[in-house]
Amino acid sequence: RTEFALKETMSSGGAEDDIPQAERKTVTDFCYLLDKSKQLFNGLRDLPQYGQKQWQSYFGRTFDVYTKLWKFQQQHRQVLDNRYGLKRWQIGEIASKIGQLYYHYYLRTSETSYLNEAFSFYSAIRQRSYYSQVNKEDRPELVVKKLRYYARFIVVCLLLNKMDVVKDLVKELSDEIEDYTHRFNTEDQVEWNLVLQEVAAFIEADPVMVLNDDNTIVITSNRLSETGAPLLEQGMIVGQLALADALIIGNCNNQVKFSELTIDMFRMLQALEREPMNLASQMNKPGMQAEKPARRENPHKYLLYKPTFSQLYTFLAASFKELPANSVLLIYLSATGVFPAGRSDSEGPYDFGGVLTNSNRDIINGDAIHKRNQSYKEMHCLHPGDLYPFTRKPLFIIVDSSNSVAYKNFTNLFGQPLVCLLSPTAYPKALQDQSQRGSLFTLFLNNPLMAFLFVSGLSSMRRGLWEKCQDYLRKINRDIAQLLTHSRSIDQSFLQFFGDEFLRLLLTRFIFCSATMRMHKIFRETRNYPESYPQLPRDETVENPHLQKHILELASILDVRNVFLENTLDDY
């Protein structure tokens, strides 16, 4: 490789021997580092995706080599230009790999600061036009590298809520795809156009726009901020459990997605993260120089897009095994409902169906088996009974599905804290169908004000009013926290989870969602309401007159009081 690189770059009049020894060594060292870095990077694919310890030392080694490589090409750019023929797109490739490393480090640790690091590398590639000359070379595979860089950059920007950058990138990517397909007449044109359609739908998934005075869109973040979760007041007796691990599972048939994230998964993962801190790294110091925050800020997450039953169970078992003492495992299921095929005389944990898991086999074949014998249970389905073994440790389950009620028939076998929050199984026909753009229930858990505006029939809002309502909603959350902790008849599981900020916020938002739907004029059937296991005492929580008064007050601020029932208590 080295000899070839040197020979390739010899001037026609010169001879190989004219190259000074030091410069020859520079090229040799660079080729060694480049090969080593590629070898380590490719090895990342072979690391197990679950289990939190095995991968760390390997990642560290990979980072170290890329750090050396990056600094080396900066220090010896002149020699590498002259003797190796280093092209700008090759520098871009190194920067892009470092960006990918940071992004994967974020996926492995759930530490949002690493997203900022990935962003800074990806941005630099664009600002310094590292890939600009690629289009002049007659090599379609190089253009594909550029297109993939754009797609990866867009994912990082979406996760950081940098929607203005996303829009610019989508426009640039669109031009690049057009140029690529025009020049090379390739077969992957349909796939790249699908990427554009997916990201366009993803950006437009929010049902309500918040507008500045000049009508530009306000970017709202839904990660946990300092003022996010209601504070625990003195005298509140709550458990000391901490949320340590979460499985976020997306398996809805027709939901907006980008990369391997459905919009529901995207919203839920943000509800389980704090606002990122900026580690303020510059282009010249990548790698692990950036100081890691002192304590793990966010619970660790696994993001599973359309997993099979065996994949889901493997990740679940790995999380369960590694869960520290006094910690909680959260399972979030956003999936199509699977209903029992036949009638069953018993009412066990496998008799109510559950939610869909991905079948790698042909579904028609599976259906044929059911029709032959209706006494068998659904195979490609996560039944409530499948989760029983994991209730040996504190478990917090959220099910957003048309068959979420299957999980109402849970039994707490081991006496550990256990809560299931269950979505409505159907929404009123009068409510325009938004399911493709994400579930209303998950939207309430991620951005309750936006969900409230949507069910109130509002599609846009001025920033000033939005902020006023957010303040009022914080007050409502504080009051819900008091209702829960002061309740005489509430199941202790709720209180045991209430000490954790993320779970506290999810529980208060769940109660706000449930109370809102119960007061809404068009939500009139039982299946339109969220439920929980164990059940909440209604009169002290979701139908509490004090809370209902607050919801009417919020509706008044927005001038939508007519959407809600005034004297709700009389209607029951």
Side-chain angles (χ1 to χ4, degrees), residues 247 249 304 307-317 331 333 355-357 382 387:
L247 265 75
I249 295 147
L304 302 180
T308 60
F309 176 80
S310 55
Q311 284 169 328
L312 199 160
Y313 229 58
T314 305
F315 279 86
L316 195 48
I331 302 170
L333 297 163
V355 300
L356 188 67
T357 55
L382 188 75
L387 296 179

Side-chain angles (χ1 to χ4, degrees), residues 191-204:
E191 289 166 40
W192 281 109
N193 283 329
L194 184 64
V195 168
L196 282 176
Q197 287 164 20
E198 282 186 351
V199 72
F202 209 89
I203 297 169
E204 289 164 15

Side-chain angles (χ1 to χ4, degrees), residues 150 154 165-178 196 199:
Y150 269 106
I154 287 169
V165 185
V166 171
K167 283 170 186 167
D168 292 343
L169 291 175
V170 168
K171 191 177 179 315
E172 288 170 31
L173 178 59
S174 177
D175 295 343
E176 293 288 350
I177 290 170
E178 201 170 315
L196 282 176
V199 72

Side-chain angles (χ1 to χ4, degrees), residues 159-339:
L159 287 165
L160 286 170
N161 292 308
K162 294 184 187 286
M163 293 304 173
D164 41 352
V165 185
V166 171
K167 283 170 186 167
D168 292 343
L169 291 175
V170 168
K171 191 177 179 315
E172 288 170 31
L173 178 59
S174 177
D175 295 343
E176 293 288 350
I177 290 170
E178 201 170 315
D179 179 67
Y180 166 66
T181 50
H182 182 69
R183 281 173 58 214
F184 297 109
N185 192 21
T186 59
E187 290 177 4
D188 54 359
Q189 178 179 359
V190 176
E191 289 166 40
W192 281 109
N193 283 329
L194 184 64
V195 168
L196 282 176
Q197 287 164 20
E198 282 186 351
V199 72
F202 209 89
I203 297 169
E204 289 164 15
D206 281 355
V208 180
M209 286 188 298
V210 185
L211 300 172
N212 284 310
D213 292 339
D214 60 357
N215 281 348
T216 52
I217 295 175
V218 179
I219 309 301
T220 57
S221 170
N222 299 303
R223 287 190 169 91
L224 183 63
S225 61
E226 295 301 315
T227 56
L231 294 170
L232 291 173
E233 294 174 18
Q234 272 187 322
M236 283 187 177
I237 310 294
V238 295
Q240 301 302 306
L241 297 171
L243 177 60
D245 222 329
L247 265 75
I248 296 181
I249 295 147
N251 198 359
C252 285
N253 284 336
N254 61 347
Q255 202 175 79
V256 167
K257 65 169 264 292
F258 185 61
S259 187
E260 291 214 321
L261 275 183
T262 64
I263 193 75
D264 276 358
M265 292 169 72
F266 177 72
R267 285 174 176 155
M268 186 46 67
L269 80 85
Q270 300 216 0
L272 300 179
E273 289 180 351
R274 295 175 196 281
E275 281 296 342
M277 300 185 313
N278 205 331
L279 296 187
S281 77
Q282 293 83 40
M283 249 326 237
N284 59 358
K285 51 164 209 193
M288 306 312 282
Q289 276 90 356
E291 282 299 307
K292 282 191 209 166
R295 65 190 180 91
R296 169 85 72 47
E297 290 289 328
N298 298 320
H300 172 264
K301 295 185 295 299
Y302 289 121
L303 306 174
L304 302 180
Y305 173 67
K306 298 205 165 177
T308 60
F309 176 80
S310 55
Q311 284 169 328
L312 199 160
Y313 229 58
T314 305
F315 279 86
L316 195 48
S319 281
F320 180 81
K321 175 175 177 275
E322 296 196 341
L323 198 70
N326 300 317
S327 296
V328 182
L329 173 59
L330 181 146
I331 302 170
Y332 168 78
L333 297 163
S334 156
T336 305
V338 176
F339 297 90

Side-chain angles (χ1 to χ4, degrees), residues 429-499:
K429 295 249 184 319
L431 198 70
Q432 118 205 38
D433 181 31
Q434 275 277 349
S435 57
Q436 212 178 345
R437 292 164 75 177
S439 153
L440 179 59
F441 179 67
T442 292
L443 186 61
F444 261 105
L445 298 180
N446 158 268
N447 190 340
L449 181 55
M450 186 172 282
F452 189 86
L453 295 176
F454 171 66
V455 297
S456 303
L458 299 169
S459 59
S460 68
M461 157 125 322
R462 291 274 158 218
R463 181 182 198 142
L465 185 55
W466 170 269
E467 285 169 356
K468 182 181 176 184
C469 291
Q470 284 287 30
D471 281 343
Y472 195 76
L473 196 54
R474 276 191 277 275
K475 174 178 164 40
I476 293 179
N477 270 339
R478 283 197 300 273
D479 285 358
I480 292 173
Q482 282 195 325
L483 288 177
L484 266 174
T485 51
H486 292 174
S487 164
R488 300 247 168 114
S489 53
I490 194 166
D491 188 283
Q492 285 303 302
S493 281
F494 291 102
L495 298 178
Q496 283 169 301
F497 289 129
F498 212 66

